[in-house]
């Protein structure tokens, strides 16, 4: 394994040198990962040569030895009783794992060289959409065969800068009925800083009719640069899609974003932030909300300290910090997941003791004094049920 340099931000790896992905494990591992209803899927990585898909049992507080190899820069979705691994930059593929076959790979489809797939939305047994971060094309594929079913050109929605790149930076997606909502970050790739900041033109939420593949409408985010996977939930008596809209972050960090909510009944964003970065004290890079009084956010401050914070979505008030990782630790809180079991799962990549940390959201009690090891660094978390 060889790595000469790397920069890590949630949703972004920049590799300057790396070797091939980790080799396939022995076949006996097929019998070591049972498919149980409360299991949590964990995308892990060594941030260099490769990663593994692991399965965690929250009741036993352990991860199984199954070691399905995946790309070092990947996220995951669960649908159609399958795990879909989105292998991103430098592998550019969708990898399908079968939980009934020890979570081993049953298919892998290329999305095109250097397209950097960001997310997959499964409409049903016969249709899926793949957002491509480094392309203007939203791909439509068959979720069982990978066959192309068409495409939608979104180049016309890229930023209206003096030198447009025709790349709208499509990322996270959320299905609601027959509507597909696609995040278009619309970042400025021509900025001299080289860090792709959001521009004055703003980010868009694009709504697509999944029956006709036609664009219904676009909605402008109240704060640009939404990151991570959207969360769909009932809030304030109606259905919302929740986003962490970080605005300027990382090396360009400013406390200028926050958690925003899109009200489906009116197709409008709620006024104000559910949790502003001014209250969080840094860039909000991940969010999970339980109800009107309780939410969780992964925060990165300007000094690169990382915190897991509790907030009140009704007031925007910070209530507590559950975890703190100083900048001196080469680590992050990459993903947080609120499970159906009311447990908050946290990808804790402290290199001295990486693993998954768990909190009971009924009283914010720490359930894992030491993170549950998943061998490599945990990067993304999914519930293994629809």
């Amino acid at each position: 394994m060889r790595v000469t340099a790397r920069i890590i931000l949630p949703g972004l790896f920049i590799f300057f040198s790396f070797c091939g992905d980790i080799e396939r494990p022995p076949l006996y591992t097929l019998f070591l990962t049972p498919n149980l209803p409360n299991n949590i899927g964990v995308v892990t990585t060594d941030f260099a040569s490769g990663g593994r898909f692991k399965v965690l049992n929250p009741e036993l507080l352990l991860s199984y030895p199954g070691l399905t190899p995946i790309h070092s820069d990947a996220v995951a979705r669960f649908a159609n009783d399958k795990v879909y691994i989105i292998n991103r930059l430098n592998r550019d593929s969708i990898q399908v794992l079968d939980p009934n076959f020890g979570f081993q790979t049953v298919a892998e489809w290329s999305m095109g060289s250097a397209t950097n797939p960001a997310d997959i939305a499964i409409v049903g047994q016969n249709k899926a959409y793949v957002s491509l971060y480094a392309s203007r094309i939203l791909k439509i594929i068959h979720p069982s065969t990978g066959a192309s079913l068409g495409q939608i050109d979104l180049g016309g929605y890229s930023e209206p800068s003096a030198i447009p790149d025709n790349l709208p930076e499509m990322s996270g997606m959320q299905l609601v009925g027959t509507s597909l909502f696609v995040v278009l970050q619309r970042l400025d790739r021509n900025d001299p800083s080289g860090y792709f900041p959001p521009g004055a033109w703003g980010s868009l939420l694009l709504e697509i009719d999944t029956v006709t593949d036609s664009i219904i409408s676009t909605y402008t985010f109240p704060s640009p640069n939404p990151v991570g996977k959207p969360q769909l939930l009932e809030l304030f008596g109606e259905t919302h899609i929740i986003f962490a809209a970080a605005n300027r972050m990382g090396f360009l960090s400013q406390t200028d974003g926050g958690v925003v909510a899109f009200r489906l009944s009116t197709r409008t964003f709620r006024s104000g932030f559910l949790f502003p970065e001014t209250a969080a004290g840094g860039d909000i890079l991940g969010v999970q909300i339980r109800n009107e009084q309780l939410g969780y956010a992964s925060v990165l401050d300007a000094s690169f300290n990382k915190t897991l914070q509790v907030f009140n979505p009704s007031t925007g008030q910070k209530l507590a910090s559950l975890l703190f990782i100083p900048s001196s630790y080469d680590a992050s809180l990459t993903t947080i997941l609120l499970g159906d079991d009311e447990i908050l799962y946290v990808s804790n990549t402290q290199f001295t003791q990486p693993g998954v940390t768990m909190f009971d959201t009924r009283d914010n009690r720490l359930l894992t004094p030491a993170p549950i090891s998943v061998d490599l660094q945990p990067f993304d978390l999914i519930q293994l049920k629809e």
Side-chain angles (χ1 to χ4, degrees):
M1 179 179 74
R2 174 171 58 89
V3 180
T4 57
R6 62 181 170 87
I7 297 173
I8 308 171
L9 290 175
L12 173 65
F13 290 115
I14 301 175
F15 295 102
F16 297 103
S17 176
F18 70 97
C19 299
D21 288 303
I22 296 173
E23 295 179 358
R24 182 180 297 276
L27 286 178
Y28 69 79
T29 62
L30 293 176
F31 305 101
L32 299 179
T33 307
N35 182 20
L36 300 177
N38 293 327
N39 282 345
I40 298 295
V42 187
V43 170
T44 73
T45 179
D46 64 7
F47 295 117
S49 63
R52 304 282 198 192
F53 182 79
K54 298 278 290 184
V55 175
L56 179 150
N57 185 297
E59 294 160 349
L60 300 176
L61 298 181
L62 57 78
S63 65
Y64 296 106
L67 301 172
T68 302
I70 58 177
H71 186 42
S72 56
D73 180 9
V75 292
R77 289 283 195 175
F78 185 84
N80 289 352
D81 296 321
K82 298 289 190 297
V83 174
Y84 291 84
I85 302 293
I86 301 102
N87 292 310
R88 301 189 296 187
L89 189 64
N90 295 325
R91 184 146 158 185
D92 307 298
S93 70
I94 301 296
Q95 184 177 350
V96 186
L97 314 183
D98 189 345
N100 296 315
F101 189 56
F103 292 91
Q104 292 295 293
T105 302
V106 294
E108 184 169 359
W109 313 307
S110 172
M111 294 296 105
S113 178
T115 54
N116 197 4
D119 201 359
I120 185 168
I122 312 294
V123 177
Q125 296 294 325
N126 300 310
K127 192 175 189 180
Y129 296 84
V130 180
S131 58
L132 303 176
Y133 195 79
S135 172
R136 59 189 290 164
I137 298 303
L138 177 67
K139 291 182 71 73
I140 310 172
I141 65 171
H142 195 290
S144 297
T145 67
S148 175
L149 301 179
Q151 62 183 38
I152 304 174
D153 189 339
L154 301 182
Y157 294 93
S158 60
E159 73 281 358
S161 59
I163 309 175
D165 55 26
N166 291 319
L167 298 177
E169 284 86 28
M170 64 184 88
S171 56
M173 298 187 289
Q174 180 65 57
L175 277 167
V176 182
T178 58
S179 285
L180 174 69
F181 292 90
V182 185
V183 169
L184 306 181
Q185 292 178 335
R186 304 211 302 172
L187 306 181
D188 188 358
R189 292 172 178 253
N190 299 311
D191 188 85
S193 70
Y195 294 124
F196 297 6
W201 44 78
S203 300
L204 297 178
L205 184 62
L206 185 71
E207 184 177 3
I208 295 173
D209 186 325
T210 60
V211 177
T212 63
D213 293 327
S214 58
I215 295 169
I216 298 173
S217 188
T218 59
Y219 316 96
T220 301
F221 277 89
S223 178
N225 203 9
V227 295
K229 297 175 182 176
Q231 181 190 12
L232 181 69
L233 81 160
E234 294 296 312
L235 198 64
F236 308 116
E238 54 185 314
T239 309
H240 290 77
I241 310 177
I242 307 299
F243 305 87
N247 206 338
R248 289 168 291 180
M249 66 180 189
F251 296 108
L252 300 172
S253 180
Q254 298 288 330
T255 53
D256 52 4
V259 178
V260 300
F262 183 74
R263 180 187 287 136
L264 286 166
S265 62
T266 60
R267 294 301 200 262
T268 59
F269 284 94
R270 296 185 71 94
S271 61
F273 293 117
L274 300 186
F275 188 39
E277 289 186 347
T278 52
D283 301 321
I284 298 176
L285 303 179
V287 62
Q288 291 283 273
I289 292 178
R290 180 180 170 190
N291 54 39
E292 289 83 356
Q293 285 77 44
L294 190 60
Y296 300 87
S298 174
V299 180
L300 177 73
D301 70 21
S303 298
F304 290 89
N305 300 306
K306 305 93 182 173
T307 54
L308 175 65
Q309 300 185 13
V310 188
F311 69 95
N312 185 324
S314 295
T315 65
Q317 178 186 8
K318 176 182 173 181
L319 302 178
S321 288
L322 299 182
L323 284 175
F324 174 80
I325 302 177
S327 59
S328 57
Y329 283 49
D330 189 6
S332 64
L333 304 172
T334 53
T335 298
I336 56 177
L337 171 69
L338 182 59
D340 290 347
D341 52 9
E342 298 185 312
I343 291 175
L344 183 73
Y345 299 88
V346 182
S347 291
N348 190 339
T349 71
Q350 296 186 58
F351 273 71
T352 56
Q353 198 175 25
V356 177
T357 300
M358 296 165 49
F359 292 90
D360 188 330
T361 63
R362 290 168 293 190
D363 55 11
N364 290 329
R365 177 170 49 94
L366 177 66
L367 300 175
T368 51
I372 301 172
S373 173
V374 286
D375 297 327
L376 299 176
Q377 309 296 321
F379 187 76
D380 192 29
L381 301 165
I382 59 171
Q383 193 142 357
L384 295 173
K385 63 176 70 170
E386 296 184 67

